[in-house]
Amino acid sequence: IPIFILAGLLVHCVFLVSIFDIYFSSPLVHGMTPQQTPLPPPAKRLVLFVADGLRADSLYELDSNGTARAPFLRGILENNGSWGISHTRVPTESRPGHVALIAGFYEDVSAVAKGWKENPVEFDSVFNESKYTWSWGSPDILPMFAKGASGDHVYTFCYAAESEDFGAEDASKLDIWVFDHVKSFFNSSRSNQTLLSALNEEKVVLFLHLLGIDTNGHAHRPNSREYQENIKQVDEGVKEIASLIDNFYGNDGRTAFILTSDHGMTDWGSHGAGHPSETLTPLIVWGAGVNYPQKVTSQFFEDNFLKEWKLENLKRLDVNQADVASLMASLIGVPFPLNSVGTLPLEYLNSSALFKAESMFTNAVQILEQFKVKMSQKKETTLSFLFVPFKPLSDSEQINFLKKIRLYIQQQKYDEAVSLCKTLINLALEGLSYYHTYDRFFLGLSIAVGFVGWTTYVILVIIKAHTSLTKTVPTNEKKPTVLFYGFASAGMIIAFFLLIQTCPWTYYIYCLLPVPVWYAVVKEIPVIQDLATNVLSLHIGQSIRFLLVCILGIEILVFSFFYRSALTVGLLVFAGWPVITQLWIQAKTKALIWTLLCVLLAIFPLMPVVGREPNIPLVIAAGLLTLLISFFSLASLCKSENKYRNKEDLKVYFYQMFSVALSTYVVSSTHKSLKNKQGLPVMNQIISWMTLVSSPVLLLRSPTFLFQRLFSILLSLMSIYLLLSTGYEALFPLALFGLMFVWINMEQEALQHYGLSLKPKLAVFNFTYAMDITQFRQVHLDDVRRSFFFVFFIVTAFFGTGNIASINSFDPASVYCFLTVFSPFMMGGLLLLKVAIPFVLVSCAFEAVQVTTQLSSKSLFLIVLVISDIMALHFFFLVKDYGSWLDIGTSISHYVLVMSLTIFMMVMNGLAQLLTTQRLGLPRRTKHHS
């Protein structure tokens, strides 16, 4: 078996890593030559203001009394410049947003695996192409553009990371810091000759990153007074900086200004997904080389914003976020960033038709360069007779396009030239995508074949080793050699084929993996034949019915990953389980409680995802309910004449109950304090961290009798869970635990019902002695249902109150009892703990079921392995590499989740054994009964 487990781990690791190779390799290519417009640019310098987290409607709409929220910027778009909406792509996070604005490409998805701190890939940016760039703002954003720059001409000034505090009185001080530092920078330059001459050069960029609006939005929501006051402050700051810079350069009219945002924000203060409130950001451009406002009588857009904002008569020019990089490059005359995929928005430019056509031509050539490099890379690694080129842009077509555009420009037919450039850009982008996904089908097929083979093999192992369905089959020595050589030669042909094409080493693993897996399956042909004759001698109808129920169950599980309401359907079916199997006849009360708890738990998946609106009274109610249940349980424990009980054990329970009460108090006082803007009280923070450390210790001090230990586990985990809750989810572990408790009892009844074994007395059942049981029995069909219940409850524990994939749009409020300063890893860790607590409850209950039904954990584990592998194959084909990061992240996390379910279950199984069987003994003087 150790070899089997090692092989299983290896196979799963390959399956897991494969998606990152197949779907999430970086689309960036290197080796293009920079393209620059040959004509002199309109501006010498550019000032870029990025108001992080600013929604388009928050800036453009008027207050209730009809005045502009940002009077200076409103004046600019009415009298001096051009405006529009910049449509961001998802993921709507700060990092991808800034990469799109400044480097002109949409953050490649391989960054998913790299966090959002550093450059996962080297890329070129407008800052890198400029002569000098000075930037002020957040330490999360600025360093990544300085790091990627060649030479040291990109200078950054950042505040300390600790300043980004969601619990602070006022986050707009982050923006005031930036404005003050820019002012003192210009003042100091008057006495610093080197700096002064550098500032007077051409191709200079000044970048102001303003994080206050985003921080206030997270902490107080975008409709709050704080968020809107912050917009006013930014407006005043922009006004001061603009006039300061104009005066500094003696109003030479060679400065261009751009104000935009990296992403918006939902009404409940999160971002990351694709809601219009997150993807619509403002863009206001004014100064050198920029068009003045254009008056129009009517303009059509699908949204009704123009009327709301009272801007119907000013032309609105919408762009995609990556187009801003091309606009900046064109305004100050630097080469377009090498990996940029943006199209230059010509309507913003106030320059000659020749300049527009030449700039557009440069833009098209720059994107075509990327296409050529991508194509040559693919051509080199594919056999010539197998290579299928991208037809619309063959070599002759490319030359044809470029010749035509040049001819139009010479004949001064600038409009025709521009429209031809746009066609060429669209084709080149299509071609880039075509070559990027060239090998996807072939690799996906290999992995799928491997998957099916592996699942088949595991089913054969279960049937052979753990059931009495097959007789022992004598092995034939002669056949395997023929088989072995057949498979070995197939493997060699595949390897040779890959070698000729100089494929990456990972391709060998994906393509050769199915060979040994299927060899192992085919070797077991006698077992398959034996099984077939056995199954056919049984009732065919019964076998088909069993198969259909299995398929339906797995499909419900897969469905529940997308629609949480599928869990409700499943739980309602579970509620009827005692009736369908006639179990209710022998245990009426238990069956009734089971049905009621299933229905109660079924309500949770229908509730909205956690974190939209905090509801602290519900958390307090959950705390009080836990205490109430504890009192009743303790009373019944004291009543029962149990010779195993002693005073020490009762003390442990009282400490745990006190801990729950304390957690309830900390949650209510922390949220009250944050509401009054007094920050996180230090005492509360200390209590929270101490609870986190002391709970597991108290748990391990409790007795190991089945119900007592499980009850202790609930109290310990609840005291931590309450601190991490903000709403109705605090009630979830209580409902889940109730159901688990009844499940353990119901499984006893099921054992008796099927006459599999005698019923042990659960009240005096002790986890510690249970591990020595040697009389494990063989697998029965009912054990497949048991395993399915476990997987179903694990999935319910996961999606019952929301979804881990929404960590990217999670509500930071759930960790406020522990910390309020932004720290992604600490916050992420606490959130994962919150997600894991319901898991631990289910795993401990399953441990109890396993031990009391005398089934070896290995056979149950193998059944769960089959269920999760069949689910994983579904998700493999459902992985997405487009759409919002929420969609991409969800599709990855579904696959990774199911793939790691087996590995995770080994860990959870170990943890459950530790939590149920281990006991910390303190040195005692008194003797007690063991």
Side-chain angles (χ1 to χ4, degrees):
I1 281 294
I3 296 174
F4 176 75
I5 287 177
L6 278 176
L9 276 173
L10 190 72
V11 169
H12 277 88
C13 288
V14 172
F15 289 161
L16 188 54
V17 175
S18 68
I19 61 159
F20 292 101
D21 243 358
I22 296 174
Y23 291 98
F24 303 116
S25 49
S26 167
L28 296 193
V29 284
H30 301 288
M32 290 78 65
T33 43
Q35 303 293 322
Q36 190 172 352
T37 311
L39 302 171
K44 271 179 80 173
R45 63 201 77 86
L46 177 113
V47 186
L48 172 66
F49 300 96
V50 176
D52 204 304
L54 174 61
R55 285 161 56 147
D57 55 346
S58 300
L59 179 70
Y60 292 137
E61 71 189 4
L62 303 173
D63 271 347
S64 47
N65 51 9
T67 56
R69 224 166 254 162
F72 171 71
L73 290 169
R74 183 79 176 195
I76 290 284
L77 69 91
E78 285 175 353
N79 311 311
N80 305 51
S82 293
W83 75 285
I85 284 178
S86 156
H87 295 263
T88 73
R89 280 248 192 116
V90 260
T92 43
E93 299 285 354
S94 294
R95 189 204 143 91
H98 281 89
V99 170
L101 287 169
I102 298 161
F105 69 92
Y106 299 104
E107 177 78 291
D108 78 25
V109 201
S110 62
V112 168
K114 305 280 198 308
W116 55 92
K117 286 293 192 185
E118 286 300 329
N119 294 357
V121 281
E122 286 308 310
F123 59 81
D124 187 25
S125 69
V126 173
F127 294 176
N128 189 30
E129 297 290 356
S130 70
K131 186 124 192 199
Y132 294 105
T133 295
W134 286 276
S135 53
W136 295 266
S138 155
D140 293 338
I141 296 299
L142 304 188
M144 74 180 182
F145 293 104
K147 227 192 180 88
S150 48
D152 54 347
H153 59 278
V154 178
Y155 304 101
T156 58
F157 306 95
C158 310
Y159 37 75
E162 288 71 52
S163 315
E164 301 173 27
D165 186 347
F166 294 130
E169 298 101 270
D170 189 15
S172 63
K173 62 174 191 285
L174 298 177
D175 299 344
I176 293 165
W177 185 99
V178 171
F179 293 134
D180 289 348
H181 275 71
V182 176
K183 288 173 198 164
S184 62
F185 171 79
F186 275 100
N187 290 335
S188 68
S189 71
R190 295 179 197 280
S191 56
N192 178 342
Q193 204 47 52
T194 347
L195 183 56
L196 192 62
S197 63
L199 277 167
N200 279 299
E201 290 277 1
E202 291 197 336
K203 302 179 183 176
V204 166
V205 178
L206 302 164
F207 169 43
L208 285 71
H209 175 239
L210 310 165
L211 187 66
I213 295 179
D214 183 65
T215 313
N216 267 323
H218 282 307
H220 306 289
R221 314 282 185 259
N223 295 323
S224 63
R225 190 182 51 80
E226 290 86 352
Y227 185 85
Q228 292 168 5
E229 284 295 317
N230 204 158
I231 295 175
K232 276 202 176 69
Q233 273 177 325
V234 165
D235 182 61
E236 282 159 24
V238 170
K239 179 183 179 180
E240 286 173 19
I241 298 297
S243 79
L244 169 90
I245 291 174
D246 282 340
N247 294 336
F248 181 85
Y249 288 110
N251 291 323
D252 65 352
R254 297 296 305 279
T255 314
F257 296 92
I258 294 183
L259 176 127
T260 184
S261 163
D262 53 350
H263 56 76
M265 192 171 278
T266 57
D267 290 340
W268 52 92
S270 75
H271 53 83
H275 190 269
S277 61
E278 298 165 274
T279 58
L280 303 182
T281 59
L283 175 65
I284 301 177
V285 190
W286 71 100
V290 181
N291 246 334
Y292 287 104
Q294 300 163 54
K295 294 275 193 288
V296 287
T297 45
S298 70
Q299 47 184 336
F300 175 72
F301 284 95
E302 282 183 3
D303 50 47
N304 298 321
F305 289 136
L306 290 168
K307 238 193 189 99
E308 287 171 32
W309 301 339
K310 309 245 185 316
L311 288 170
E312 305 100 314
N313 303 327
L314 290 173
K315 188 161 190 191
R316 166 178 149 185
L317 309 169
D318 281 17
V319 300
N320 288 325
Q321 198 173 32
D323 302 346
V324 177
S326 310
L327 178 63
M328 293 196 288
S330 176
L331 284 170
I332 53 171
V334 298
F336 286 79
L338 292 176
N339 293 109
S340 167
V341 294
T343 311
L344 178 63
L346 292 177
E347 290 156 302
Y348 276 88
L349 294 177
N350 177 19
S351 47
S352 66
L354 171 65
F355 181 82
K356 287 182 180 176
E358 281 289 358
S359 300
M360 206 65 201
F361 182 60
T362 311
N363 192 182
V365 171
Q366 168 260 327
I367 292 178
L368 188 63
E369 278 287 311
Q370 294 180 64
F371 169 79
K372 285 180 179 168
V373 171
K374 193 85 176 173
M375 182 171 89
S376 65
Q377 281 178 0
K378 205 57 313 84
K379 215 170 187 170
E380 279 165 24
T381 59
T382 313
L383 293 174
S384 52
F385 65 90
L386 286 175
F387 181 68
V388 185
F390 181 65
K391 296 272 186 336
L393 270 189
S394 58
D395 293 349
S396 56
E397 281 291 318
Q398 291 176 30
I399 297 166
N400 202 0
F401 263 112
L402 298 175
K403 267 190 186 158
K404 256 190 190 163
I405 297 169
R406 269 271 147 253
L407 188 65
Y408 279 144
I409 292 178
Q410 280 162 5
Q411 296 172 346
Q412 299 186 354
K413 293 182 177 169
Y414 300 125
D415 291 347
E416 288 91 331
V418 165
S419 78
L420 206 55
C421 285
K422 285 184 177 166
T423 312
L424 178 57
I425 287 174
N426 290 333
L427 284 176
L429 290 174
E430 267 176 51
L432 270 170
S433 163
Y434 170 81
Y435 285 121
H436 181 56
T437 58
Y438 194 80
D439 292 333
R440 188 170 291 178
F441 176 73
F442 153 69
L443 289 175
L445 197 65
S446 299
I447 292 288
V449 171
F451 242 124
V452 174
W454 166 254
T455 312
T456 314
Y457 181 63
V458 178
I459 293 173
L460 287 176
V461 169
I462 296 174
I463 287 169
K464 211 168 98 169
H466 298 276
T467 67
S468 51
L469 278 178
T470 55
K471 297 180 274 301
T472 45
V473 183
T475 49
N476 182 355
E477 285 304 318
K478 208 162 184 191
K479 254 193 196 154
T481 49
V482 183
L483 264 182
F484 178 77
Y485 288 123
F487 275 95
S489 48
M492 281 157 86
I493 293 167
I494 294 171
F496 177 68
F497 184 68
L498 294 172
L499 192 67
I500 309 175
Q501 304 200 54
T502 57
C503 289
W505 62 274
T506 46
Y507 282 31
Y508 289 86
I509 298 177
Y510 305 144
C511 298
L512 291 173
L513 184 72
V515 178
V517 171
W518 277 100
Y519 171 63
V521 172
V522 175
K523 242 174 60 178
E524 303 291 347
I525 274 192
V527 179
I528 300 173
Q529 288 168 340
D530 198 32
L531 179 69
T533 49
N534 262 350
V535 169
L536 290 175
S537 64
L538 292 169
H539 297 293
I540 301 250
Q542 214 175 358
S543 309
I544 292 174
R545 237 192 353 249
F546 175 69
L547 262 178
L548 284 176
V549 169
C550 286
I551 292 168
L552 182 71
I554 288 176
E555 290 307 317
I556 284 185
L557 277 178
V558 170
F559 225 64
S560 70
F561 277 69
F562 299 99
Y563 306 99
R564 287 167 48 216
S565 49
L567 290 173
T568 304
V569 176
L571 283 164
L572 293 176
V573 173
F574 280 11
W577 166 59
V579 181
I580 300 165
T581 54
Q582 309 280 304
L583 267 179
W584 68 281
I585 299 171
Q586 69 190 59
K588 288 195 171 56
T589 332
K590 284 178 189 170
L592 184 67
I593 298 174
W594 163 269
T595 305
L596 287 174
L597 282 170
C598 279
V599 173
L600 178 68
L601 197 63
I603 297 169
F604 283 93
L606 297 176
M607 307 278 270
V609 174
V610 170
R612 296 284 160 95
E613 283 304 317
N615 189 339
I616 302 305
L618 274 180
V619 183
I620 297 168
L624 296 175
L625 189 62
T626 312
L627 287 173
L628 194 68
I629 293 169
S630 328
F631 277 124
F632 279 119
S633 308
L634 262 187
S636 70
L637 192 71
C638 292
K639 251 190 226 153
S640 68
E641 283 306 312
N642 190 343
K643 64 170 192 263
Y644 300 109
R645 195 183 69 242
N646 62 32
K647 287 205 175 103
E648 288 293 323
D649 298 345
L650 290 179
K651 261 190 209 163
V652 174
Y653 288 130
F654 279 121
Y655 286 138
Q656 287 185 308
M657 284 161 68
F658 177 67
S659 178
V660 171
L662 206 56
S663 296
T664 312
Y665 164 74
V666 167
V667 171
S668 81
S669 84
T670 301
H671 284 272
K672 203 170 277 165
S673 163
L674 289 173
K675 208 171 182 183
N676 302 335
K677 303 226 173 117
Q678 290 159 346
L680 167 61
V682 180
M683 195 61 210
N684 288 9
Q685 196 171 7
I686 294 169
I687 293 174
S688 298
W689 284 104
M690 278 178 67
T691 305
L692 186 64
V693 177
S694 66
S695 290
V697 179
L698 281 173
L699 193 169
L700 293 174
R701 294 276 303 113
S702 68
T704 51
F705 295 106
L706 186 93
F707 291 154
Q708 295 177 26
R709 179 48 75 96
L710 286 176
F711 171 55
S712 178
I713 290 172
L714 172 73
L715 286 183
S716 268
L717 295 179
M718 264 317 272
S719 55
I720 302 173
Y721 200 81
L722 285 170
L723 291 171
L724 292 167
S725 298
T726 58
Y728 74 87
E729 82 269 27
L731 296 162
F732 180 67
L734 284 175
L736 185 66
F737 180 76
L739 187 62
M740 294 297 97
F741 199 70
V742 183
W743 182 36
I744 297 167
N745 283 295
M746 288 299 286
E747 287 298 357
Q748 288 306 304
E749 302 295 339
L751 268 188
Q752 233 183 343
H753 184 73
Y754 288 106
L756 289 179
S757 79
L758 292 169
K759 192 162 132 187
K761 280 188 79 178
L762 288 186
V764 290
F765 194 90
N766 195 327
F767 275 119
T768 329
Y769 310 133
M771 299 318 287
D772 318 329
I773 295 179
T774 42
Q775 66 266 39
F776 284 134
R777 54 189 180 73
Q778 285 200 315
V779 175
H780 181 266
L781 264 187
D782 200 40
D783 296 321
V784 177
R785 176 202 52 80
R786 233 168 240 126
S787 305
F788 177 75
F789 269 30
F790 173 54
V791 178
F792 190 90
F793 287 137
I794 280 277
V795 175
T796 307
F798 200 69
F799 292 109
T801 58
N803 173 355
I804 187 167
S806 58
I807 265 194
N808 104 340
S809 52
F810 77 91
D811 185 13
S814 46
V815 297
Y816 284 172
C817 288
F818 293 91
L819 74 166
T820 55
V821 175
F822 181 66
S823 154
F825 291 103
M826 188 74 89
M827 287 180 163
L830 286 166
L831 278 157
L832 284 174
L833 175 68
K834 180 178 175 178
V835 169
I837 285 175
F839 276 157
V840 178
L841 286 175
V842 175
S843 297
C844 290
F846 189 56
E847 179 67 24
V849 167
Q850 229 167 269
V851 170
T852 54
T853 57
Q854 298 170 356
L855 189 59
S856 78
S857 53
K858 197 176 72 202
S859 41
L860 275 182
F861 177 72
L862 288 177
I863 299 173
V864 172
L865 186 68
V866 172
I867 295 175
S868 62
D869 278 349
I870 296 172
M871 284 164 66
L873 190 59
H874 281 76
F875 292 121
F876 178 75
F877 289 109
L878 294 170
V879 170
K880 277 186 179 173
D881 64 337
Y882 56 89
S884 78
W885 249 15
L886 189 63
D887 294 344
I888 293 169
T890 307
S891 73
I892 295 178
S893 65
H894 286 170
Y895 181 67
V896 172
L897 209 162
V898 177
M899 284 307 296
S900 46
L901 189 64
T902 42
I903 302 167
F904 180 72
M905 270 180 37
M906 284 185 193
V907 176
M908 278 295 167
N909 205 350
L911 184 67
Q913 277 187 18
L914 173 86
L915 292 182
T916 51
T917 58
Q918 295 307 312
R919 185 167 186 191
L920 290 179
L922 291 185
R924 299 205 188 121
R925 263 173 257 138
T926 52
K927 280 190 178 173
H928 65 287
H929 299 289
S930 62

